[in-house]
């Protein structure tokens, strides 16, 4: 039986949007195997929780979840941000990618609402982003170099070698992507996994 841990990070005293709760419940119900939740928050708000941790910042919260993950026999670590809605088939589709890391497609929630995944310019030896185009997005599975942690599936082998670090000039997302690149762990964008990003009560769709 496939066994994975679904991690949701919350800001202190944040209450989950009902649309996020609904998408998480659908995701867990319709994913074969055992997929318990791990909520990185200090306020459960009555939502079903298997474990609760005190969230100091995103990196420390994720590393607490990483410790729990590695101490058990989980094979997959799934992180979904608390302002993100996901389709019910997200995990199944990311598993189909058969990659050390797989991510869903999402837009940033600030203008100009760019996509949260990019390719690296191969001609540059520093961070240089190439925006994804229509040809890229026509592919079901697309290799990407830079990605967010909004909806991500990570195999155990990755987290045995890579921790989450606070961003210095960049976010936790990009620090993680960079460390994985250095270790040779590839990431696949699953373009069918279209995630919503909630801002001011509105869902920014792909």
């Amino acid at each position: 039986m496939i066994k994975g841990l679904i991690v949701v990070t919350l800001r202190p005293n944040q209450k989950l949007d009902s649309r996020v709760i609904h998408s998480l419940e659908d995701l867990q119900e319709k994913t074969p195997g055992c997929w318990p939740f791990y909520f990185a928050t200090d306020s459960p708000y009555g939502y079903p929780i298997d474990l609760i941790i005190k969230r100091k910042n995103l990196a420390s919260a994720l590393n607490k979840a990483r410790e729990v993950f590695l101490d058990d026999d989980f094979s997959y670590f799934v992180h979904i941000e608390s302002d993100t809605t996901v389709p019910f088939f997200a995990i199944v589709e990311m598993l189909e990618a058969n990659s050390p890391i797989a991510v869903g497609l999402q837009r940033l929630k600030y203008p100009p609402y760019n996509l949260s995944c990019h390719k690296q310019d191969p001609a540059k030896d520093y961070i240089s982003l190439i925006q994804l185009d229509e040809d890229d997005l026509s592919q079901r599975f697309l290799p990407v170099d830079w990605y967010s942690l909004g909806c991500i599936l990570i195999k155990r082998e990755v987290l045995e070698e890579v921790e989450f670090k606070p961003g210095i000039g960049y976010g936790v997302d990009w620090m993680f992507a960079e460390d994985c690149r250095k270790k040779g762990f590839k990431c696949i964008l699953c373009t069918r996994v279209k995630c919503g990003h909630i801002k001011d009560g509105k869902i920014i769709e792909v």
Side-chain angles (χ1 to χ4, degrees):
M1 179 176 65
I2 298 176
K3 186 176 180 182
L5 186 67
I6 301 175
V7 177
V8 182
T9 48
L10 292 157
R11 293 183 299 276
N13 302 316
Q14 177 189 4
K15 186 175 181 178
L16 279 176
D17 186 288
S18 61
R19 293 164 294 184
V20 174
I21 294 175
H22 179 73
S23 74
L24 289 173
E25 290 175 335
D26 269 1
L27 179 70
Q28 186 185 52
E29 178 184 349
K30 295 174 182 176
T31 302
C34 177
W35 298 87
F37 284 119
Y38 186 109
F39 283 78
T41 180
D42 59 347
S43 302
Y45 288 107
Y47 188 70
I49 289 179
D50 299 298
L51 296 165
I52 302 172
I53 67 171
K54 183 75 175 178
R55 184 186 189 277
K56 296 180 180 177
N57 57 50
L58 181 57
S60 64
L62 287 170
N63 281 323
K64 286 288 187 181
R66 175 180 175 270
E67 290 175 10
V68 171
F69 172 82
L70 293 175
D71 284 344
D72 208 316
D73 60 346
F74 295 110
S75 298
Y76 299 96
F77 181 106
V78 173
H79 176 248
I80 298 170
E81 291 184 346
S82 60
D83 58 0
T84 297
T85 59
V86 297
F88 69 87
F89 57 85
I91 291 177
V92 172
E93 183 72 1
M94 291 191 291
L95 288 172
E96 283 287 321
N98 193 28
S99 175
I101 305 164
V103 294
L105 187 62
Q106 187 177 40
R107 289 194 182 279
L108 302 178
K109 58 182 182 180
Y110 302 102
Y113 307 110
N114 290 328
L115 295 174
S116 59
C117 294
H118 306 83
K119 295 183 289 185
Q120 167 70 21
D121 185 341
K124 307 290 178 59
D125 58 1
Y126 54 87
I127 295 176
S128 181
L129 305 183
I130 298 177
Q131 300 289 336
L132 304 182
D133 57 28
E134 291 185 7
D135 287 339
D136 292 325
L137 298 179
S138 68
Q139 301 178 51
R140 180 182 178 189
F141 299 125
L142 176 72
V144 292
D145 300 293
W146 305 102
Y147 42 88
S148 79
L149 299 175
C151 175
I152 188 169
L153 180 144
I154 308 167
K155 285 187 176 181
R156 186 179 187 89
E157 65 198 63
V158 177
L159 292 184
E160 288 176 339
E161 296 193 39
V162 181
E163 296 182 352
F164 298 95
K165 298 177 182 177
I168 303 175
Y170 298 97
V172 178
D173 315 62
W174 284 31
M175 295 293 290
F176 181 76
E178 173 67 358
D179 287 345
C180 289
R181 274 164 40 90
K182 290 177 179 177
K183 292 283 187 179
F185 294 119
K186 305 296 185 182
C187 177
I188 294 295
L189 168 62
C190 302
T191 60
R192 294 181 183 177
V193 181
K194 294 179 170 62
C195 304
H197 212 165
I198 297 177
K199 181 186 178 185
D200 299 330
K202 297 180 180 179
I203 298 181
I204 299 167
E205 303 281 3
V206 175

